[in-house]
Amino acid sequence: MGDKLLEIDNLTVHYEVNNVVVEAVTGLSLDIDNGETIGLVGETGAGKTTTALAVLGLIPDPPGRVVGGEIRFEGQNLLGKSSRQMRSIRGSAISMVFQDPMTSLNPVIPVGDQIMEVILLHEKMSKAQAAVKAQQMLELVGIPANRYPEYPHQFSGGMKQRVMIACALACNPRLLIADEPTTALDVTIQAQVLELMGNLKREFDTAMLLITHDLGVVADICEKVAVMYAGTIVERGTVRNVYRFPRHPYTRGLFKSLPHLDVDTDRLTPIPGSMPDPSNLPPGCPFFPRCTFHTAECEAGRPGLVEVSPGHVVACFNIPEAPVEL
């Protein structure tokens, strides 16, 4: 802990379709330390998955392209790597668990062979040795090794996600990106998968970027959280600071829209309006059309991140003078 593993600096990603530019990510900056777990939260369309794909060099070009910024992994700029170099990094140093295991696995290849393929691609060992390690990975994620020759359609959704986790961790990556890994699963299986990921992360000493819209999941397994809105991070800090003392109006709105077990209320308090069209972002702060505290300054310029307490930064022109615990 404490050493920078991943450093994203001022990342900007655009998609261009029919001469319309979609600003998916704008000026995003984020650091992840060795062994650290960070939650990246935000609404659908906020740019979370695009950020992950940019780290892995998987932005589809065309229509997408990285317009500016740097992504440094262990001090090396990933944006300067060739396609061949990135292929050697993906799956070995950086792995990703996608949100839909049903479409991530090849339906006509046994699950064991799919894990073995990852191992053979990145490690120097025979096919027989790779098959043994693939069986060990299945056992590690709670699947009997004798299910190695079975096909994805023979597994439940939770089991498929366990296979994906086995694929992602087969080569002991230093960074695991999990893109809403429990979206397609029921609540009971979600808890099992998240507990498994947490245990394996600690066992392999792997850093993790967890992409989700579920604030409860972040509170359960993450040390830090970054709140994303309209392609940029508006608040970042430890889970304790951000959850107890949210300072950005959007973050405060998210928490106020959630039910509380100890508060009897008839109606929740939603955030008015909806997230802006990324192909037609408003000038200035992207949240100002929905913000009850906005001023003329908010409409004129985009705020930068300001440190309000050690490690807790907020992008807002009207940060409350004193934190108020929600």
Side-chain angles (χ1 to χ4, degrees):
M1 297 288 285
D3 297 324
K4 298 299 179 190
L5 179 69
L6 180 72
E7 299 170 89
I8 304 175
D9 185 23
N10 204 31
L11 177 68
T12 299
V13 181
H14 289 174
Y15 293 94
E16 187 170 346
V17 182
N18 297 328
N19 295 322
V20 175
V21 176
V22 177
E23 300 178 44
V25 176
T26 304
L28 182 143
S29 296
L30 180 68
D31 295 339
I32 301 177
D33 291 344
N34 283 299
E36 187 174 60
T37 301
I38 291 185
L40 186 61
V41 302
E43 297 175 58
T44 299
K48 305 185 299 295
T49 298
T50 295
T51 301
L53 294 178
V55 172
L56 289 163
L58 292 176
I59 296 292
D61 184 12
R65 61 191 178 94
V66 177
V67 177
E70 283 191 351
I71 302 174
R72 294 183 296 276
F73 180 74
E74 296 185 323
Q76 298 184 16
N77 186 11
L78 296 182
L79 298 181
K81 299 286 186 182
S82 66
S83 297
R84 183 176 180 179
Q85 289 172 321
M86 286 305 300
R87 281 196 298 272
S88 69
I89 291 172
R90 287 193 295 266
S92 59
I94 306 175
S95 287
M96 186 165 179
V97 178
F98 294 92
Q99 59 180 298
D100 188 0
M102 289 70 166
T103 59
S104 299
L105 292 169
N106 191 320
V108 298
I109 299 178
V111 295
D113 286 351
Q114 296 189 51
I115 301 172
M116 181 180 69
E117 182 181 5
V118 176
I119 297 168
L120 288 174
L121 189 62
H122 297 289
E123 296 187 7
K124 294 181 179 179
M125 60 175 61
S126 68
K127 200 168 183 179
Q129 290 171 322
V132 170
K133 184 170 182 180
Q135 291 174 347
Q136 292 172 344
M137 291 305 302
L138 283 174
E139 292 279 0
L140 198 62
V141 298
I143 299 175
N146 60 12
R147 301 196 67 179
Y148 180 107
E150 295 183 14
Y151 292 86
H153 73 272
Q154 296 174 274
F155 291 79
S156 66
M159 286 295 187
K160 287 190 185 80
Q161 195 62 287
R162 287 170 181 263
V163 172
M164 289 299 302
I165 294 169
C167 287
L169 294 176
C171 296
N172 195 13
R174 268 101 64 203
L175 173 63
L176 176 66
I177 301 174
D179 185 5
E180 305 205 25
T182 59
T183 296
L185 308 177
D186 64 59
V187 175
T188 304
I189 304 302
Q190 282 185 25
Q192 293 175 6
V193 170
L194 289 170
E195 183 181 10
L196 172 67
M197 291 180 65
N199 292 338
L200 293 176
K201 174 197 161 314
R202 287 187 290 273
E203 183 174 338
F204 286 89
D205 193 28
T206 302
M208 182 163 70
L209 175 64
L210 176 66
I211 298 172
T212 184
H213 58 269
D214 192 327
L215 294 168
V217 168
V218 172
D220 190 37
I221 67 174
C222 295
E223 292 118 29
K224 293 182 180 178
V225 59
V227 181
M228 198 168 179
Y229 183 80
T232 192
I233 289 175
V234 296
E235 186 161 3
R236 187 181 72 236
T238 64
V239 168
R240 177 181 174 84
N241 283 345
V242 174
Y243 276 51
R244 289 190 64 193
F245 306 110
R247 307 292 288 274
H248 194 279
Y250 176 63
T251 312
R252 295 173 66 84
L254 286 179
F255 284 106
K256 287 182 178 179
S257 67
L258 297 174
H260 292 269
L261 293 176
D262 56 347
V263 177
D264 186 14
T265 182
D266 294 327
R267 296 180 66 88
L268 299 176
T269 306
I271 302 174
S274 57
M275 198 166 65
D277 182 351
S279 66
N280 187 28
L281 291 175
C285 174
F287 187 64
F288 92 77
R290 307 174 68 184
C291 182
T292 55
F293 304 103
H294 83 267
T295 62
E297 186 180 20
C298 304
E299 301 181 30
R302 183 178 287 251
L305 289 168
V306 177
E307 190 171 56
V308 294
S309 65
H312 188 178
V313 294
V314 182
C316 183
F317 289 123
N318 300 301
I319 303 170
E321 289 295 326
V324 178
E325 184 172 358
L326 292 183

